[in-house]
Amino acid sequence: MSVFAPSVINLWKTIETYGLDPKPLFAAEDLVLKLPIDPGLRVPWEKIDRIRAKAVELSGDEAFGIRSASALQPSQFGALGYAWQASLTLRKACSRLQRFGRIVNDKVVAGVEDRDGCMVVTMDINTESRCEFARDDGALAMVTRMCRLITGDDFRLHAVNFKRKQPLDLKPYFEFFGCQLNFEQDKNQLLIPTAFVDEVL
């Protein structure tokens, strides 16, 4: 299992937001980041997973995954990020995530379906993790930020479904997602009102 090497810069920058030095964490996994990162390179998933788990431990922040969205730039997703920004509608953008999400992480399966007045975006990452809640929170938060980047300030979520247990502090989740939060669900999902998804961007 591997991830698109330029996407790793998001983890690096997220760690820096806590005033921590990412270099020792990456060095412990024999990873050295040199900019610009070759888009032809891939990094073993297990190494990134261990770095993230250690960073969560050091930061002491249960909302580490949410914070990773603040460090996100579309270029970190390579061609998928640029295609997302060029999408005519949010529905088309999400369909590109569904089709090409595995370029970023080859174990990610994104699903898109309409249900009860919402477009439901499901994020499945089919592998074990040392810090599953941070991994899954990050996936949901980064897709949400990508949606906001192309739709603007009017974007709203109807609800977010989390597989994880409810965190001790809900404030960062409400502040970021701004909608109903459902924990201990079967899947990790964003529920986006259909009013947003077919408007020309």
Side-chain angles (χ1 to χ4, degrees):
M1 182 176 181
S2 64
V3 298
F4 179 61
S7 70
V8 175
I9 196 66
N10 177 263
L11 177 57
W12 181 285
K13 289 184 175 296
T14 303
I15 294 170
E16 287 184 327
T17 67
Y18 293 96
L20 300 171
D21 184 0
K23 290 180 183 178
L25 302 183
F26 278 73
E29 297 294 338
D30 296 321
L31 291 178
V32 178
L33 290 188
K34 294 182 179 180
L35 300 178
I37 300 176
D38 184 347
L41 295 178
R42 300 192 68 83
V43 178
W45 157 262
E46 294 80 5
K47 293 188 175 188
I48 299 306
D49 189 59
R50 287 193 291 267
I51 293 169
R52 179 173 49 235
K54 185 63 176 177
V56 171
E57 177 186 337
L58 292 173
S59 70
D61 186 5
E62 196 176 10
F64 183 94
I66 304 298
R67 192 157 177 165
S68 66
S70 66
L72 177 68
Q73 295 297 327
S75 60
Q76 294 165 1
F77 292 158
L80 173 59
Y82 295 116
W84 179 283
Q85 290 183 293
S87 297
L88 187 64
T89 65
L90 186 56
R91 185 184 298 278
K92 288 185 180 295
C94 289
S95 70
R96 286 171 172 164
L97 173 67
Q98 182 179 27
R99 185 175 180 186
F100 301 114
R102 291 186 181 184
I103 293 173
V104 179
N105 183 327
D106 60 15
K107 290 295 182 181
V108 168
V109 177
V112 180
E113 62 176 328
D114 283 356
R115 186 172 72 230
D116 300 327
C118 291
M119 182 177 72
V120 181
V121 180
T122 302
M123 298 298 294
D124 284 327
I125 305 177
N126 301 312
T127 186
E128 293 183 1
S129 172
R130 291 171 180 260
C131 197
E132 187 172 306
F133 72 84
R135 178 199 70 187
D136 293 350
D137 286 355
L140 292 168
M142 284 191 275
V143 174
T144 298
R145 173 158 166 75
M146 292 284 281
C147 289
R148 288 175 176 150
L149 285 174
I150 60 172
T151 60
D153 294 336
D154 292 335
F155 176 77
R156 296 291 183 273
L157 288 163
H158 173 70
V160 181
N161 293 335
F162 299 84
K163 292 175 66 176
R164 64 165 298 167
K165 292 181 180 179
Q166 181 171 312
L168 295 176
D169 184 4
L170 284 173
K171 183 178 178 181
Y173 292 79
F174 278 121
E175 287 181 344
F176 182 81
F177 291 108
C179 65
Q180 178 179 328
L181 306 174
N182 305 314
F183 296 94
E184 298 188 61
Q185 303 298 301
D186 291 336
K187 296 180 179 180
N188 292 302
Q189 297 175 317
L190 301 173
L191 282 66
I192 306 171
T194 53
F196 289 107
V197 301
D198 294 312
E199 289 185 356
V200 176
L201 302 173

